[in-house]
Amino acid sequence: MSYPYQIRSMEEYEKAYKDSISHPDKFWSSVAEHFRWKKKWNRVLEWNFKEPRVRWFDGAKLNITENCIDRHLEKLGDKPAIIWEPNNPEERVRVVTYNRLHKRVCQFAQVLKNNGVKKGDRVCIYMGMVPELAYAILGCARIGAIHSVIFGGFSAQSIADRLYDAEAEYIVTSDGAYRGGKDIPLKSVIDDALIGNRTVKKVIVYTRTRTPVSMLKGRDVWWEDEMEYAETQVEKEGIVSFPAEEMDAEDPLFILYTSGSTGKPKGVVHSSAGYMVWTTYSFVNVFQYNPGDIHFCTADIGWITGHSYIIYGPLSAGATSVMFEGIPTWPDAGRFWDIVDKHKVNILYTAPTAIRSLMGFGLGPLKGKDLSSLKILGTVGEPINEEAWHWYDENVGKKKCPVVDTWWQTETGGILISNLAGVTPARPSWATLPMPGVQPVLVDENGKEVTQKDEHGLLNGNLCIKAPWPSIIRTTYGDHDRCRQNYFAAYPNLYFTGDGAWKDDKGNFRITGRVDDVLNVSGHRIGTAEVENAINMHTGVVESAVVGYPHDVKGQGIYAYVVYGHIHGDEEMTRRDILQTVTRVIGAIAKPDKIQFVKGLPKTRSGKIMRRILRKIAEGETSNLGDTTALLDPGVVEEIKQGKL
Ligand code: WT7
């Protein structure tokens, strides 16, 4: 596979950028030509941000799995598509070639069909990081079912909410998952999630940990039995390739739930064609992928990073993608370096929080590890501080590997602002330049483009994007108006990201973080309202307010101010009970780092909580709290300051 659309120099980047803005139709059709279509498009792009309505490659027919698998078989059939590294380094590595991937995906598509799954049905996937997760995802795409992958750290309640919202009829899960020293009983969490559920008809259970599971007759089936049966059918009927469903360019490919500033997560919907083109294009350009390179993205496939840069982008480019079941610190903090050494990884893509956590272990775990295969390093998920950037550059990349700082979101489907490795300049803590086709703009609260530089000579504002790129969010599942309100209503004719940013004279962007009520904890997105709702469910809690504060490793920590009616036992026990409640309602990832019991919250006369003040106190600021005259009872601020943890 070669990539005629690969940008190889600064001049080529500048030209591509210019062309993509002045002649978007021509530009994107020349990229899209290099994919496999069942029928080509009638029109490249049609859009308005008012509804919003965005249609890329309208009229085209395709199946993304033919692009991720079939089109590579002739030349790359025996090449590894996925190299799977187990949680336990003693266990056997599994290498899935493109031929094998084709066989398994076809087989699993047949399993889905046998179980009644049809095009457009929603299939929820709740599994650990095993190759079967990739087969499940691609099997859905092959048959045209809409997958909704849920991260293994979410609770039964969170799953139940997502199943209900997506009206999911099928689930693919496994008995359990290994993560570091822990076994997570996934099927039992699913069983809890299904209490009272009225939509789910079938649960397909893959065996990974052989932990005891309950299997409900008529509803629950074993993955292995189903796959075996599908194989006999395939042999009998001589089916070697499950026919890839013909999808419209704009047919939904998947739903992925993400948090916003309201209490309820949103089901972000991505399309088939635009998502495919963008994940491939951005993968090849940002990481400067060359055929044969080994790409290792450390994210979990439960998040968008895993969807776009473990599965769809790399596979569509015919790349070799490493999939890691475990965690960076088990059996010890040298695990990433062992994997790089063992599999001769060329591209390493991870999160700043992982880098900061590994920094904490010093240089010991890097000793004796051969990292000379590395060519390119990447980061994603949150702003990277300069210290972590330099540590990564010096100790992992040995100052020989370009570092790409890739800014994007669940809603953007793929990377929008980033340097292109070794092609456009890197700058510590800066995501730098927009990708071709991406038109970022900074606006003030009134939606006016910021033109006045601040005291550092930079433009500073809310980050918006002017026009659609191919993998922009299409809708929020089941509620299109929610999509409009969330992303397209704050500023007319702009997509609002929820992030703040700076821009310098050369057009480089530095993302400063969320400007809405969304936290970014270890690169995971959590809405403060969601955490508050969970805390408020605990008996005795009158109300609560949740804010973020700077955390050395996690980037942001969660600080909860809780007004409590009656303490049951002592404060410490009550704290633990609240943490348990949050774990039940959302999952352990949303547990507050600090819980401070307070008598009241600072409110305006109209009853609005003044989070600005709470945020400052949580950050350790005590004197300069800004204007507090609007407060109903300024006394509560004093009390909160005294009790700060
Ligand atoms: C939010 C999106 C994109 C996949 C992982 C997170 C923050 C993401 C960067 C970066 C600074 C970043 C933003 C964004 N973010 N990448 N390189 N520099 N901030 O996806 O859960 O949808 O979160 O992550 O605040 O809005 P997500």
Side-chain angles (χ1 to χ4, degrees), residues 208-466:
R208 172 68 182 123
T209 57
R210 208 54 198 98
T211 189
V213 291
S214 107
M215 293 288 285
L216 211 69
K217 197 180 283 170
R219 186 194 73 184
D220 300 349
V221 297
W222 294 110
W223 169 290
E224 295 75 16
D225 295 350
E226 297 297 307
M227 285 292 264
E228 211 180 296
Y229 181 68
E231 189 155 32
T232 61
Q233 278 174 302
V234 168
E235 276 165 15
K236 240 187 274 155
E237 296 166 25
I239 312 170
V240 281
S241 170
F242 185 93
E245 183 74 33
E246 188 170 285
M247 305 295 284
D248 281 335
E250 283 296 327
D251 275 339
L253 174 63
F254 66 84
I255 306 173
L256 189 59
Y257 284 87
T258 191
S259 298
S261 34
T262 60
K264 203 175 148 239
K266 302 176 286 255
V268 173
V269 176
H270 280 293
S271 73
S272 300
Y275 178 81
M276 170 182 79
V277 169
W278 189 264
T279 51
T280 317
Y281 180 81
S282 57
F283 172 72
V284 163
N285 280 301
V286 170
F287 301 105
Q288 288 293 302
Y289 187 83
N290 288 310
D293 283 349
I294 313 277
H295 171 78
F296 176 23
C297 166
T298 70
D300 192 287
I301 291 174
W303 309 109
I304 190 72
T305 308
H307 282 60
S308 301
Y309 299 109
I310 298 179
I311 304 282
Y312 288 113
L315 296 179
S316 165
T320 297
S321 183
V322 175
M323 181 174 177
F324 173 41
E325 187 183 32
I327 57 170
T329 49
W330 194 86
D332 60 53
R335 192 64 196 278
F336 277 0
W337 325 129
D338 285 327
I339 296 174
V340 169
D341 188 340
K342 182 168 166 188
H343 299 296
K344 301 287 164 257
V345 169
N346 305 114
I347 305 167
L348 176 66
Y349 189 31
T350 194
T353 187
I355 298 168
R356 286 192 298 264
S357 135
L358 295 175
M359 267 169 77
F361 291 88
L363 296 178
L366 283 149
K367 282 230 174 71
K369 311 289 161 75
D370 180 3
L371 305 184
S372 62
S373 57
L374 286 173
K375 294 198 283 196
I376 283 145
L377 303 178
T379 73
V380 60
E382 50 180 320
I384 180 162
N385 48 314
E386 293 196 24
E387 195 193 353
W389 194 100
H390 286 295
W391 189 89
Y392 197 35
D393 179 40
E394 282 161 28
N395 300 299
V396 181
K398 318 285 185 201
K399 294 201 135 198
K400 284 187 309 219
C401 306
V403 178
V404 290
D405 176 353
T406 67
W407 174 85
W408 57 297
Q409 314 178 293
T410 304
E411 295 86 346
T412 71
I415 299 165
L416 294 197
I417 303 180
S418 173
N419 48 319
L420 312 182
V423 170
T424 66
R427 178 163 164 196
S429 292
W430 287 67
T432 75
L433 298 169
M435 298 283 294
V438 177
Q439 302 183 59
V441 26
L442 299 179
V443 301
D444 63 20
E445 302 88 83
N446 305 317
K448 256 194 69 199
E449 191 161 342
V450 177
T451 48
Q452 200 75 26
K453 288 182 194 158
D454 67 6
E455 66 271 27
H456 311 287
L458 300 167
L459 300 174
N460 180 350
N462 294 334
L463 179 63
C464 294
I465 320 271
K466 269 186 193 165

Side-chain angles (χ1 to χ4, degrees), residues 413-580:
I415 299 165
L416 294 197
I417 303 180
S418 173
N419 48 319
L420 312 182
V423 170
T424 66
R427 178 163 164 196
S429 292
W430 287 67
T432 75
L433 298 169
M435 298 283 294
V438 177
Q439 302 183 59
V441 26
L442 299 179
V443 301
D444 63 20
E445 302 88 83
N446 305 317
K448 256 194 69 199
E449 191 161 342
V450 177
T451 48
Q452 200 75 26
K453 288 182 194 158
D454 67 6
E455 66 271 27
H456 311 287
L458 300 167
L459 300 174
N460 180 350
N462 294 334
L463 179 63
C464 294
I465 320 271
K466 269 186 193 165
W469 58 98
S471 63
I472 188 175
I473 178 176
R474 295 304 197 270
T475 189
T476 46
Y477 190 82
D479 190 350
H480 191 63
D481 199 53
R482 203 165 167 218
C483 175
R484 185 188 63 78
Q485 276 179 20
N486 257 288
Y487 307 105
F488 301 92
Y491 310 112
N493 294 319
L494 294 174
Y495 165 81
F496 176 44
T497 64
D499 281 323
W502 290 337
K503 184 181 175 186
D504 74 3
D505 284 341
K506 297 196 180 101
N508 291 303
F509 287 86
R510 177 178 179 150
I511 312 301
T512 49
R514 303 288 305 196
V515 294
D516 53 7
D517 289 324
V518 171
L519 306 180
N520 192 324
V521 181
S522 301
H524 298 158
R525 200 153 131 186
I526 296 166
T528 53
E530 245 180 296
V531 183
E532 287 164 8
N533 287 350
I535 294 174
N536 297 348
M537 285 171 86
H538 184 66
T539 178
V541 170
V542 178
E543 62 175 338
S544 62
V546 165
V547 297
Y549 71 96
H551 188 288
D552 284 349
V553 174
K554 299 179 177 184
Q556 270 190 312
I558 305 179
Y559 197 117
Y561 298 92
V562 175
V563 181
Y564 212 80
H566 166 68
I567 299 280
H568 187 74
D570 61 24
E571 273 198 2
E572 201 37 50
M573 273 181 207
T574 304
R575 245 185 218 112
R576 279 177 5 212
D577 293 345
I578 291 175
L579 293 180
Q580 185 64 17

Side-chain angles (χ1 to χ4, degrees), residues 87-106:
N87 180 57
N88 183 342
E90 312 279 301
E91 198 181 326
R92 186 173 57 90
V93 166
R94 289 167 64 187
V95 177
V96 183
T97 62
Y98 275 97
N99 279 331
R100 174 58 62 99
L101 183 65
H102 179 252
K103 181 172 173 182
R104 291 289 177 249
V105 169
C106 287

Side-chain angles (χ1 to χ4, degrees), residues 579-617:
L579 293 180
Q580 185 64 17
T581 306
V582 173
T583 305
R584 280 255 167 232
V585 177
I586 307 174
I589 52 171
K591 278 199 295 196
D593 299 273
K594 294 183 179 176
I595 296 176
Q596 179 183 347
F597 293 110
V598 297
K599 291 211 182 67
L601 296 170
K603 287 187 183 172
T604 62
R605 285 185 187 84
S606 61
K608 210 169 154 288
I609 297 172
M610 290 190 72
R611 289 165 182 286
R612 177 175 50 84
I613 294 176
L614 292 174
R615 230 175 274 134
K616 286 212 159 156
I617 297 175

